[in-house]
């Protein structure tokens, strides 16, 4: 294969149905994902996980820690450090309550899937080691949605460190997909004293890898990824440190990227505006199941 791009092979039928007006697009759910960076002698590396091959969606694909927004986090008071909710609302293009929930989702998912917590007892501190039994019990309860992340922060007396995050990109799942997400991509640096671990039930391995090495693996067809993942990796690759990437975040374009599709000469042509490298011409007679293109 030419590269490691992943797409579901039921897309042709769904795209045709959408064009014919027999498929009603699913309303996308808001989600957040975090590109967690740390510095090494060879430059910054990013934390990635590989989705289990048994997963129905993007099995075997590399991604970042992330997941859906919990609507309970848009109304509970959160002790907050960094840019105001109004600032985040303008940056993300949403209202203030939604902005709080999205930022909470980014921090929560990083904790749930990587064991890293961007919060501290004060506005200028972060917690240390989070691998103790009491921390693990709370993390498991968050995964089970026994309480919201806002409630977790309140119980622990923690301040959410929104200043440790930088908004990087926004991608929306195509209208013809059965599961759709409006995903906000963030960048963050691994806090001193914390370490990552594979805490996700959806991943079979995790790696720290230079963004350029990951992109090279994709180009060679060795690492499977979805377009938003490889696109964000390419934009991370030029930075010489985690701090440089964070400093560049305010200048990143947050215009939502939404794939477009059309039927042409017996093939489905997929395009992602502003990302010509992902243009694909897919035969309409592919068998069902996931594939790389």
């Amino acid at each position: 294969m030419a590269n490691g791009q992943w797409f579901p092979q039921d897309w042709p039928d769904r795209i045709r149905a959408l064009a014919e007006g027999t498929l009603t697009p699913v309303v996308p759910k808001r989600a957040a994902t975090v590109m967690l960076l740390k510095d090494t002698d060879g430059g910054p590396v990013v934390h990635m996980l590989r989705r289990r091959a048994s997963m129905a969606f993007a099995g075997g694909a590399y991604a970042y820690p992330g997941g859906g927004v919990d609507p309970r986090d848009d109304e509970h008071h959160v002790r907050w450090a960094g840019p105001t909710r109004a600032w985040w609302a303008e940056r993300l293009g949403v209202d203030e309550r939604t902005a709080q929930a999205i930022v909470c989702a980014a921090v929560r998912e990083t904790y749930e899937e990587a064991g890293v917590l961007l919060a501290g007892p004060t506005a200028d501190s972060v917690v240390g080691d989070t691998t103790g039994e009491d921390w693990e019990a709370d993390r498991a309860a968050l995964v089970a949605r026994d309480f919201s992340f806002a409630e977790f922060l309140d119980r622990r007396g923690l301040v959410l460190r929104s200043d440790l995050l930088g908004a990087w990109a926004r991608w929306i799942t195509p209208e013809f997909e059965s599961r759709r997400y409006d995903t906000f991509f963030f960048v963050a640096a691994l806090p001193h004293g914390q370490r990552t671990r594979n805490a996700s039930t959806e991943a079979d391995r995790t790696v720290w890898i230079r963004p350029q090495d990951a992109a090279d693996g994709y180009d060679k067809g060795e690492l499977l990824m979805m377009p938003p993942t490889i696109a964000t990796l390419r934009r991370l690759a030029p930075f010489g440190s985690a701090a440089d990437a964070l400093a560049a975040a305010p200048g990143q374009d947050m215009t939502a990227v939404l794939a477009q599709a059309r039927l042409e000469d017996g093939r489905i042509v997929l395009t992602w505006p502003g990302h010509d490298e992902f243009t694909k011409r897919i035969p309409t007679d592919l068998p069902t199941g996931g594939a790389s293109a």
Side-chain angles (χ1 to χ4, degrees):
M1 59 185 173
N3 58 35
Q5 183 176 337
W6 183 93
F7 70 93
Q9 287 189 344
D10 64 349
W11 273 9
D13 289 340
R14 297 187 64 84
I15 291 171
R16 188 181 300 107
L18 182 67
E20 294 171 350
T22 59
L23 176 67
T24 301
V26 175
V27 176
K29 298 179 180 179
R30 287 194 172 93
T33 187
V34 177
M35 300 175 287
L36 192 63
L37 300 171
K38 71 175 181 180
D39 292 322
T40 70
D41 292 339
V45 290
V46 62
H47 180 71
M48 303 188 75
L49 53 84
R50 185 178 67 185
R51 293 171 59 84
R52 294 185 183 278
S54 59
M55 298 292 292
F57 183 79
Y62 281 80
Y64 315 113
V69 169
D70 186 342
R72 295 176 296 179
D73 287 332
D74 69 1
E75 55 188 30
H76 191 99
H77 175 72
V78 174
R79 296 172 66 197
W80 190 274
T84 65
R85 292 165 181 80
W87 184 94
W88 278 108
E90 182 176 358
R91 179 73 178 123
L92 301 178
V94 297
D95 60 71
E96 290 188 30
R97 290 176 57 175
T98 301
Q100 174 176 294
I102 291 170
V103 173
C104 279
V107 178
R108 187 197 73 239
E109 288 290 337
T110 306
Y111 180 48
E112 288 183 3
E113 298 195 345
V116 171
L117 183 58
L118 305 177
T122 64
D124 58 358
S125 66
V126 292
V127 298
D129 186 3
T130 61
T131 59
E133 291 184 4
D134 58 333
W135 285 105
E136 177 57 25
D138 277 354
R139 192 198 65 80
L142 282 169
V143 172
R145 298 296 182 263
D146 291 342
F147 44 74
S148 71
F149 188 66
E151 291 170 327
F152 161 77
L153 293 173
D154 187 50
R155 286 161 50 121
R156 286 272 180 177
L158 296 175
V159 179
L160 185 146
R161 293 290 305 277
S162 81
D163 55 320
L164 300 182
L165 287 169
W168 195 262
R170 181 180 183 180
W171 288 66
I172 302 177
T173 310
E175 290 183 332
F176 42 83
E177 253 292 3
S178 56
R179 283 173 290 191
R180 301 188 64 213
Y181 297 94
D182 180 356
T183 304
F184 295 82
F185 286 73
F186 295 86
V187 64
L190 179 69
H192 180 72
Q194 294 193 39
R195 60 183 185 271
T196 59
R197 60 192 177 91
N198 183 8
S200 172
T201 58
E202 298 180 354
D204 59 12
R205 73 174 298 214
T206 61
V207 295
W208 283 101
I209 186 170
R210 291 177 61 245
Q212 188 59 58
D213 290 342
D216 290 344
Y218 167 89
D219 290 335
K220 296 174 183 177
E222 298 170 352
L223 300 181
L224 204 60
M225 299 179 201
M226 290 179 283
T229 308
I230 180 60
T232 49
L233 279 171
R234 294 204 196 285
R235 284 164 61 182
L236 279 177
F239 296 99
S241 69
D244 288 345
L246 278 166
Q252 299 299 311
D253 185 3
M254 291 298 291
T255 302
V257 179
L258 175 64
Q260 300 173 351
R262 67 182 187 275
L263 294 173
E264 182 180 285
D265 299 328
R267 288 176 175 264
I268 291 168
V269 181
L270 285 177
T271 60
W272 280 260
H275 299 271
D276 292 343
E277 75 161 295
F278 302 129
T279 298
K280 295 296 176 185
R281 290 170 171 80
I282 307 170
T284 58
D285 57 354
L286 288 174
T288 59
S292 58

